[in-house]
Amino acid sequence: MLQLVKNLVRNSKRCQYKKLFLKHCSVKSKHYVCVWMFHSTQAERETKRYDVFYYPKSVWRNLTSNTIASLNAQSFKILRRTSRRAIKHLYRSSRVRFLPKAKDIRPLVNFKSQSKDGILNKCHLVIKKLRDDNPEMFGSSVFDYDGVYKNLSSFMSSVRRQLKESKIYIVVADVSKAFDCVNHDVLLKIMDDVLKGDEYALRKCTKVIYSRSKNVAYRFDSNVVVSDGNGINDFSIQRSSGGGILVDQGTVSTIRKEELQRVLFEQVKCNILKIGQTFYLQQVGIAQGNKLSPNLCSLYYGHLENSVILNFLHDGNSGDAISEPEFLMMRFIDDFMFISLSKKHALNFFNRMRRGFVYYNTYMNDSKYGYNFNIGDNEQCDNRLYMGDDGVTFIPWSGLLINCENLEIQADYTRYLGITIISTITVKMHSSMKYLRSKLCHYMRPKCHPIFYDSNINSLGTVRLNIYQAFLLCAMKFHCYMRSMPYSSISKPELLHVIKKTFRYMHSLIVSRMQDMELQSNVRPVLKLRRKETNWLGLSAYIRVLQKKQSRYKDLLALLIAEAEGYGHMDRDSDSLCYAVDDSHSSMFWKFKY
């Protein structure tokens, strides 16, 4: 009976219809499951994605009570009955759920009730517009791979000659408890300086995006801030900064500066959390889960950069003042990366970050530094470096692996070490060939960014290695998906057709994104990759992965091998393809559990 229950729950945790499975489970063994669920509680884990874990309730009570005690001691104040009555009609409270991590528990706030607030959405759009119009206020912030790609491409083109002669020095630093240490008064003062207009207008628009591959135009409704109060800019059609065009719908709404300040004050100063039956007022920091928090946090650390760090870097007293563009600094909210051609300059940056910033209540996490040079006696600092079997050293940063020698970029797959691939996917019970194809294409989409394939940044071998590794992971997820399906009526030739579709999809998407990047910016990406090379790399990756599961895929493997033979031995004629499929360059993949 115990094994039956475990099997049913194990299946449920990777299925989109988890509640249905649990209901079915309770029918199969009602008495045991009721007893089992009575003595345990269900939770997810930060590192396990879709896996479900069950904790004995006594253990869970101890974990959460310790977390609540630390919250109370650090930056939260318990609201007594009188305080609760005073604020009941003014502010709303948000419920908290706990997310277990490797060494502690992270409290996450559920702002679902506030997400429908029209004023909050308007405030979010205004801040986003300020970010787009005044990026210098946000310092070195980058918000996606587009920003990283543009900055890195520009930097590398400006120092390309020096890179051949000079060593590169890299420092990566991460703010400790970035959201929790934000000083409320400092943040509100920064926002007062940023909001320069007395009134902001938002115009209702429809965004139209044309898909070249499907020859279809897609429409999305969106609000766009078009004025800061100095006059509403009328337009009928204009180009969107994120691609596509904006079509005016003729509906305008406004929000005054005083109203924005009130909303910001409530979100920052009056964040009330409900944990169990107790209410807490957050006195330091801003809540994770609020849609305003990422931009507010980026603005806060952008102000720190502009006021302290940049002055230090350009100040002769720092020991080795170097002017731009001989150094590059980027930051994903609270994750800093600094690149310089001077070791002394990089070391000065590292030492300044280690001292912290008292006024901003900001200090770095000693366990999350990364650097590629000798920093002297700093025994308390860990150094996050990754080295594969090929001996190449990388610094992980925000989902990327930065080559310590030449700044080439690879995707960071190290997060899959220590987990099972199946815990990262969901499975539809009745999957069709069309649905399977869409899932495989969905797996490939994040790894089609130009930053991985532009030959201005990466060598030919690294470009093809990035393609190959993306297909390796996709093949592993393909196996996990097929294994988790209750049954499948898809024939082996149909599966081959679906797999080949993903090859064409990936190559077309890479080309399309390269073209879009060229249209939207001054960057001129270069793609030196033929479609048949993408197909061959995809076939090689699937064969390499599925050969470890030969008993399940004997017929499909025969079709894949026959298809690959049609391309000949391409790796013998191309050093870059030979480099890409060399197991030593993808050694971490052979440690994945799938």
Side-chain angles (χ1 to χ4, degrees), residues 264-367:
L264 288 168
F265 182 87
E266 290 180 7
Q267 296 297 313
V268 174
K269 282 278 194 179
C270 307
N271 181 35
I272 300 168
L273 310 181
K274 184 179 181 182
I275 305 176
Q277 298 302 315
T278 307
F279 291 83
Y280 297 84
L281 175 65
Q282 188 167 7
Q283 296 180 299
V284 179
I286 55 179
Q288 297 185 54
N290 190 331
K291 68 190 305 180
L292 299 181
S293 294
N295 280 329
L296 291 178
C297 202
S298 296
L299 182 63
Y300 185 80
Y301 294 118
H303 192 273
L304 182 154
E305 286 180 19
N306 294 331
S307 302
V308 182
I309 297 178
L310 289 180
N311 290 335
F312 173 81
L313 291 175
H314 291 294
D315 187 357
N317 294 330
S318 68
D320 190 15
I322 295 180
S323 60
E324 294 184 55
E326 292 179 321
F327 75 85
L328 172 67
M329 182 165 62
M330 291 187 286
R331 175 174 46 79
F332 258 124
I333 302 182
D334 63 319
D335 292 347
F336 289 84
M337 180 172 70
F338 181 82
I339 304 172
S340 177
L341 300 180
S342 164
K343 178 181 178 180
K344 193 172 185 179
H345 200 217
L347 184 59
N348 286 333
F349 173 82
F350 172 82
N351 289 329
R352 182 64 191 89
M353 299 300 282
R354 281 220 67 198
R355 297 204 320 253
F357 306 89
V358 177
Y359 178 73
Y360 295 89
N361 192 34
T362 297
Y363 302 90
M364 300 301 118
N365 188 335
D366 283 339
S367 65

Side-chain angles (χ1 to χ4, degrees), residues 500 503-504 530-540 560-573 577:
K500 289 167 61 179
F503 303 161
R504 292 193 289 271
R530 295 174 295 170
R531 185 179 293 274
K532 69 176 185 178
E533 290 178 316
T534 302
N535 295 343
W536 183 85
L537 287 166
L539 289 166
S540 300
L560 288 168
I561 292 172
E563 189 75 24
E565 288 175 349
Y567 290 91
H569 297 283
M570 293 183 65
D571 52 331
R572 295 180 183 176
D573 304 323
L577 288 176

Side-chain angles (χ1 to χ4, degrees), residues 12-53:
S12 72
K13 69 189 179 184
R14 54 177 175 269
C15 180
Q16 289 180 339
Y17 303 100
K18 181 168 61 181
K19 292 182 180 178
L20 184 66
F21 266 87
L22 289 176
K23 182 179 179 182
H24 179 65
C25 178
S26 63
V27 171
K28 287 290 185 181
S29 180
K30 185 175 181 180
H31 175 71
Y32 187 82
V33 173
C34 286
V35 172
W36 183 46
M37 294 297 289
F38 180 78
H39 289 293
S40 65
T41 187
Q42 177 182 325
E44 71 268 44
R45 291 278 294 274
E46 185 183 54
T47 56
K48 300 295 184 178
R49 300 293 294 277
Y50 296 113
D51 274 355
V52 177
F53 293 83

Side-chain angles (χ1 to χ4, degrees), residues 57-96:
K57 285 191 174 181
S58 58
V59 174
W60 186 252
R61 271 195 300 271
N62 290 335
L63 290 172
T64 54
S65 61
N66 291 337
T67 304
I68 293 170
S70 65
L71 288 178
N72 185 28
Q74 293 173 3
S75 56
F76 287 81
K77 174 185 177 182
I78 296 179
L79 295 178
R80 306 300 176 185
R81 293 194 177 189
T82 53
S83 303
R84 286 165 58 178
R85 279 198 297 268
I87 64 170
K88 183 176 180 180
H89 300 293
L90 295 177
Y91 309 112
R92 285 176 292 184
S93 62
S94 303
R95 287 194 171 272
V96 175

Side-chain angles (χ1 to χ4, degrees), residues 28 41 76 177 208 255 260 274 378 386 422 481 533 564 576 585:
K28 287 290 185 181
T41 187
F76 287 81
K177 301 185 181 301
V208 181
I255 181 171
L260 285 171
K274 184 179 181 182
N378 282 287
Y386 171 77
I422 201 168
Y481 195 97
E533 290 178 316
S576 58
H585 303 312

Side-chain angles (χ1 to χ4, degrees), residues 285-551:
I286 55 179
Q288 297 185 54
N290 190 331
K291 68 190 305 180
L292 299 181
S293 294
N295 280 329
L296 291 178
C297 202
S298 296
L299 182 63
Y300 185 80
Y301 294 118
H303 192 273
L304 182 154
E305 286 180 19
N306 294 331
S307 302
V308 182
I309 297 178
L310 289 180
N311 290 335
F312 173 81
L313 291 175
H314 291 294
D315 187 357
N317 294 330
S318 68
D320 190 15
I322 295 180
S323 60
E324 294 184 55
E326 292 179 321
F327 75 85
L328 172 67
M329 182 165 62
M330 291 187 286
R331 175 174 46 79
F332 258 124
I333 302 182
D334 63 319
D335 292 347
F336 289 84
M337 180 172 70
F338 181 82
I339 304 172
S340 177
L341 300 180
S342 164
K343 178 181 178 180
K344 193 172 185 179
H345 200 217
L347 184 59
N348 286 333
F349 173 82
F350 172 82
N351 289 329
R352 182 64 191 89
M353 299 300 282
R354 281 220 67 198
R355 297 204 320 253
F357 306 89
V358 177
Y359 178 73
Y360 295 89
N361 192 34
T362 297
Y363 302 90
M364 300 301 118
N365 188 335
D366 283 339
S367 65
K368 292 188 177 181
Y369 281 108
Y371 43 87
N372 65 335
F373 57 94
N374 183 13
I375 60 171
D377 295 330
N378 282 287
E379 296 179 358
Q380 296 180 349
C381 290
D382 293 336
N383 189 8
R384 292 190 301 158
L385 292 178
Y386 171 77
M387 180 186 294
D389 291 350
D390 56 0
V392 180
T393 306
F394 297 90
I395 292 182
W397 180 71
S398 298
L400 302 174
L401 289 180
I402 317 296
N403 191 304
C404 292
E405 298 297 325
N406 52 28
L407 294 183
E408 290 189 352
I409 303 295
Q410 292 181 214
D412 184 5
Y413 296 103
T414 56
R415 66 189 181 93
Y416 291 99
L417 293 169
I419 68 172
T420 54
I421 301 296
I422 201 168
S423 68
T424 66
I425 69 171
T426 58
V427 179
K428 191 173 182 179
M429 293 179 66
H430 303 288
S431 295
S432 63
M433 185 175 71
K434 182 179 179 181
Y435 187 80
L436 177 60
R437 183 174 69 235
S438 68
K439 291 291 285 187
L440 293 179
C441 291
H442 174 75
Y443 298 152
M444 301 304 301
R445 200 171 296 131
K447 298 301 181 287
C448 291
H449 197 279
I451 196 170
F452 300 114
Y453 310 108
D454 185 359
S455 292
N456 291 320
I457 295 176
N458 292 327
S459 65
L460 296 180
T462 301
V463 168
R464 284 148 183 78
L465 177 61
N466 285 335
I467 291 270
Y468 181 67
Q469 289 185 345
F471 280 126
L472 283 177
L473 182 62
C474 188
M476 292 177 181
K477 290 188 175 184
F478 166 83
H479 161 70
C480 293
Y481 195 97
M482 296 298 296
R483 196 184 79 181
S484 299
M485 288 172 59
Y487 62 89
S488 175
S489 59
I490 306 175
S491 66
K492 299 303 181 288
E494 285 178 324
L495 284 177
L496 177 62
H497 178 72
V498 167
I499 292 171
K500 289 167 61 179
K501 277 275 190 180
T502 63
F503 303 161
R504 292 193 289 271
Y505 173 83
M506 184 174 190
H507 189 90
S508 299
L509 186 56
I510 292 172
V511 172
S512 175
R513 288 187 173 178
M514 289 278 197
Q515 293 171 349
D516 290 343
M517 185 63 67
E518 188 170 356
L519 290 173
Q520 296 172 24
S521 63
N522 295 324
V523 180
R524 297 291 180 267
V526 176
L527 179 64
K528 297 180 179 178
L529 179 71
R530 295 174 295 170
R531 185 179 293 274
K532 69 176 185 178
E533 290 178 316
T534 302
N535 295 343
W536 183 85
L537 287 166
L539 289 166
S540 300
Y542 268 83
I543 291 170
R544 181 69 177 83
V545 168
L546 299 185
Q547 278 179 337
K548 291 187 173 242
K549 313 289 181 181
Q550 290 191 41
S551 59

